[in-house]
């Protein structure tokens, strides 16, 4: 009986040490696996959405077109140069027309062109829903003076 106890003590100590060692490594291994999974997910999403990575030729072409225009330019040549219909086109009683092009600045950021009397009054990173907000056309609003001389990139 003395032999069994003598052998059980060192085996238990070795087993406990092995468990402690493996238990201590588990969080590091899990963290590396999680980090690897996150990196793979980012790569996959980047491959699926080149716009987010800035590699989309369509995105570059629209941005280049917007960089060449000025407030006061005729809207029709700009729309023709963009070469695609806007995702959204809306107008209001004050005579403003908003043109929205999706995924221009990123996968979620759209480009907007605002026109009044066929002239560009605003262009940049926005949404037609934000630009056509009624508050923008009331006294003191962004477009209350009959045209804005601002752009936002």
């Amino acid at each position: 009986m003395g032999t069994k106890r003598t052998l059980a003590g060192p085996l238990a100590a070795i087993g406990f040490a092995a468990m402690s060692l493996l238990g201590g490594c588990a969080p590091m291994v899990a963290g590396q696996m999680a980090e690897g999974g996150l990196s793979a997910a980012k790569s996959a999403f980047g491959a699926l959405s080149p716009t987010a990575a800035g590699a989309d030729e369509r995105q570059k072409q629209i941005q280049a077109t917007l960089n060449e225009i000025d407030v006061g330019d005729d809207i029709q040549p700009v729309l023709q140069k963009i070469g695609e219909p806007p995702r959204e086109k809306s107008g209001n009683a004050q005579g403003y027309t908003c043109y929205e092009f999706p995924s221009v600045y990123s996968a979620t950021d759209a480009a907007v062109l605002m026109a009044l009397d066929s002239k560009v009054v605003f262009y940049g990173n926005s949404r037609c829903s934000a630009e056509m907000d009624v508050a923008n056309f009331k006294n003191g609003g962004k477009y209350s003076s009959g045209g804005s001389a601002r752009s936002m990139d």
Side-chain angles (χ1 to χ4, degrees), residues 57-89:
E57 289 303 317
R58 173 196 163 270
Q59 177 188 26
K60 290 178 184 177
Q61 189 269 326
I62 294 174
Q63 287 177 6
T65 299
L66 294 176
N67 288 336
E68 294 173 1
I69 66 173
D70 291 309
V71 169
D73 287 353
D74 288 331
I75 190 72
Q76 285 307 318
V78 175
L79 294 173
Q80 289 172 349
K81 189 165 184 179
I82 289 174
E84 70 180 59
R87 179 188 74 183
E88 181 180 331
K89 179 181 176 186

Side-chain angles (χ1 to χ4, degrees), residues 19-110:
M19 294 280 288
S20 296
L21 182 62
L22 290 176
C25 291
M28 289 189 296
V29 172
Q32 288 173 348
M33 290 173 59
E35 184 179 342
L38 180 62
S39 296
K42 283 183 180 177
S43 297
F45 283 125
L48 293 175
S49 180
T51 308
D56 186 344
E57 289 303 317
R58 173 196 163 270
Q59 177 188 26
K60 290 178 184 177
Q61 189 269 326
I62 294 174
Q63 287 177 6
T65 299
L66 294 176
N67 288 336
E68 294 173 1
I69 66 173
D70 291 309
V71 169
D73 287 353
D74 288 331
I75 190 72
Q76 285 307 318
V78 175
L79 294 173
Q80 289 172 349
K81 189 165 184 179
I82 289 174
E84 70 180 59
R87 179 188 74 183
E88 181 180 331
K89 179 181 176 186
S90 55
N92 63 13
Q94 289 83 6
Y96 287 85
T97 306
C98 183
Y99 305 88
E100 183 176 318
F101 299 90
S103 304
V104 172
Y105 295 103
S106 74
T108 57
D109 291 334

